[in-house]
Amino acid sequence: MTSSAQLKETSARQVEPWQDLSDDYRAAATRMIEFHMMSEIVGPVHEFRWVPRAPSLQAKLVFAAKSQDEVGHGLMLMRVCQDLTGKSRAEYMEQILDGPPRFMNIFHYPWDEWVDPAIVAWLIDGAEIERQATLLRSSYGPYARAMRKILKEEGFHHHCGRYLIGQMMAGTREQRAAVQRGVDRWWLRTLAMFGPRDENSKHGPKLMAYGLKFAQNEALRQSWLTKFVPQIRAVGLEVPDDNLAYDGETGRWTYTEPDWQEFSSLLRGGSPVGAELQRELRQARGISAWLFSED
Amino acid sequence: MTYLRTFEVFRQKAPGDAHVHVGEVEAPDAATAMVLAKEHFARREVCCSLWVADRSDVLASQWDPEVFDAGRAKAYRRSGGLRTSSGAPS
């Protein structure tokens, strides 16, 4: 039997769904994993829209494969959630299509230019890798195991993003300018994606105490900056933040804060872009409904 | 979609390896589960064989992990090495 108190003491220990988990632990795990699940299912709508529009066969293949990966992650996480809550897949689909928009901030912005999906693959999947690598040790066993496959595939996405950005940076002046505009657009959104500092994070401390997550948002953001600021500059792009500075003594970056008000309003109330993603999925579900009818 | 059943998926990476549990898929029957498992777990990863098993056919132990500890107290099976007449380990 594993009570929440025991878990706290031995946070290195992983638990399984059939064990006697406290309601509080189950609820915390469910909240965190459902958010991840919905992001993986709603997010790829942005990506598969780019399959027919991508400028080369190579790029089409990248986005077809990437969308399929993401939906696969969503399905794996849905299985994890089903075992936690006892809900069926149909109930979860209903929650995703008609429920409140509980998914990552980055999907609430338009991806209208070709650089948008490429920047997201490069910078944001890179940020996701930073976070997910720490989740391999998550105290909830099925989630930690799912993360192995997810992490591997996010690595592929990141490399594809870097490849696509590299191609554009080796292209025309207009292409390079478009990439810089993309970085300008996505910089603060990417920093915000890690979430607020722990003292301002509502659920963070509890998730840490339960060993569901292992790294604080700010620590992940710092380690992402250390990896990506040099990468961005190395390909000839500028980081759009005059306040960005690295303090060699503390080993920490200072940076312009993202708009946290906007971040929390997106996560709580959604956006027209996010609502459109849900609507598109609802429509796709409607078209294939006859396949699943049991009459 | 009440006809969906949960299938546990086991993947063998190379001939001679054990089939290792990698996750689950939901499907109406085993043959469909196999197709889905191939798509989910063998598209990118190295694989030479897959098993799918209906979850309801799996019997999972309900004992506390401590129950398995008893089996480890087997010091008598380890020889400490032969000792010479002087008492020093050889």
Side-chain angles (χ1 to χ4, degrees):
Chain A
M1 202 179 104
T2 311
S3 72
S4 53
Q6 278 174 312
L7 256 182
K8 197 170 177 174
E9 284 160 17
T10 59
S11 59
R13 197 163 135 197
Q14 287 182 324
V15 295
E16 297 297 335
W18 54 83
Q19 286 177 289
D20 189 7
L21 307 172
S22 74
D23 289 347
D24 197 52
Y25 178 88
R26 221 174 257 274
T30 302
R31 191 187 308 107
M32 177 171 103
I33 304 170
E34 281 184 356
F35 182 84
H36 189 174
M37 167 193 73
M38 189 164 182
S39 300
E40 297 275 18
I41 292 183
V42 172
V45 177
H46 275 305
E47 266 140 13
F48 63 68
R49 279 176 183 162
W50 273 102
V51 175
R53 291 193 280 165
S56 67
L57 177 61
Q58 184 77 8
K60 280 181 207 291
L61 290 172
V62 165
F63 280 95
K66 189 171 185 295
S67 321
Q68 190 184 10
D69 285 351
E70 308 284 14
V71 176
H73 300 170
L75 283 177
M76 274 181 97
L77 294 174
M78 196 182 289
R79 282 284 336 129
V80 175
C81 290
Q82 281 173 257
D83 285 345
L84 263 173
T85 62
K87 286 188 194 171
S88 68
R89 185 197 284 205
E91 284 171 296
Y92 266 121
M93 284 314 293
E94 213 167 289
Q95 182 173 323
I96 288 167
L97 302 184
D98 301 312
R102 300 273 177 269
F103 51 87
M104 283 163 60
N105 70 322
I106 52 156
F107 301 126
H108 288 294
Y109 300 99
W111 300 18
D112 288 341
E113 273 195 73
W114 165 238
V115 291
D116 291 328
I119 294 264
V120 168
W122 180 37
L123 298 184
I124 293 181
D125 285 337
E128 271 299 291
I129 291 169
E130 207 64 51
R131 170 166 38 206
Q132 288 168 354
T134 70
L135 294 173
L136 290 169
R137 293 185 296 147
S138 176
S139 64
Y140 192 59
Y143 186 58
R145 287 194 290 275
M147 212 52 67
R148 286 183 210 159
K149 177 176 161 67
I150 294 177
L151 192 60
K152 205 171 175 183
E153 295 180 349
E154 294 298 345
F156 155 77
H157 303 165
H158 166 67
H159 283 283
C160 288
R162 210 161 63 171
Y163 161 79
L164 294 170
I165 292 292
Q167 271 196 327
M168 280 184 265
M169 290 308 288
T172 62
R173 186 196 302 262
E174 285 78 13
Q175 282 178 306
R176 284 194 292 276
V179 177
Q180 183 64 56
R181 282 200 306 277
V183 173
D184 296 352
R185 263 200 303 281
W186 286 94
W187 176 254
L188 286 179
R189 302 168 186 175
T190 310
L191 290 187
M193 194 213 84
F194 291 99
R197 288 191 176 75
D198 254 43
E199 58 269 28
N200 303 323
S201 165
K202 195 170 155 205
H203 303 297
K206 178 180 270 183
L207 294 174
M208 297 277 282
Y210 277 144
L212 279 162
K213 69 181 236 187
F214 269 89
Q216 297 194 340
N217 296 341
E218 178 60 16
L220 293 171
R221 190 163 28 237
Q222 289 286 336
S223 99
W224 181 83
L225 283 164
T226 301
K227 287 200 186 95
F228 278 83
V229 169
Q231 242 194 70
I232 292 170
R233 289 177 176 158
V235 293
L237 292 161
E238 274 175 41
V239 176
D241 182 358
D242 295 336
N243 297 321
L244 187 77
Y246 182 72
D247 184 338
E249 259 174 49
T250 59
R252 295 183 73 77
W253 294 86
T254 47
Y255 52 85
T256 304
E257 289 288 327
D259 185 345
W260 291 115
Q261 208 97 41
E262 179 178 294
F263 177 80
S264 64
S265 101
L266 287 177
L267 260 61
R268 231 173 296 148
S271 70
V273 173
E276 175 60 23
L277 302 181
Q278 280 178 289
R279 197 194 62 78
E280 206 165 311
L281 281 178
R282 249 192 328 268
Q283 201 178 6
R285 181 97 169 155
I287 289 168
S288 58
W290 64 274
L291 273 169
F292 302 103
S293 102
E294 286 176 75
D295 302 336
Chain B
M1 294 208 293
T2 47
Y3 56 86
L4 287 179
R5 286 143 61 193
T6 303
F7 290 86
E8 303 292 339
V9 181
F10 301 82
R11 181 181 64 213
Q12 187 188 35
K13 281 190 169 175
D17 283 352
H19 283 73
V20 176
H21 182 250
V22 284
E24 304 102 37
V25 291
E26 280 185 70
D29 57 54
T32 314
M34 184 61 87
V35 174
L36 291 173
K38 178 171 174 289
E39 198 59 22
H40 271 297
F41 297 106
R43 193 170 77 255
R44 289 199 189 287
E45 317 246 356
V46 184
C47 176
C48 72
S49 159
L50 285 172
W51 288 348
V52 293
D54 194 314
R55 175 180 276 192
S56 62
D57 291 333
V58 176
L59 179 64
S61 65
Q62 297 292 322
W63 299 302
D64 287 337
E66 294 75 53
V67 169
F68 298 102
D69 289 347
R72 289 197 214 122
K74 284 176 181 162
Y76 60 88
R77 298 182 70 163
R78 290 197 300 272
S79 158
L82 295 172
R83 284 176 187 276
T84 61
S85 53
S86 70
S90 60

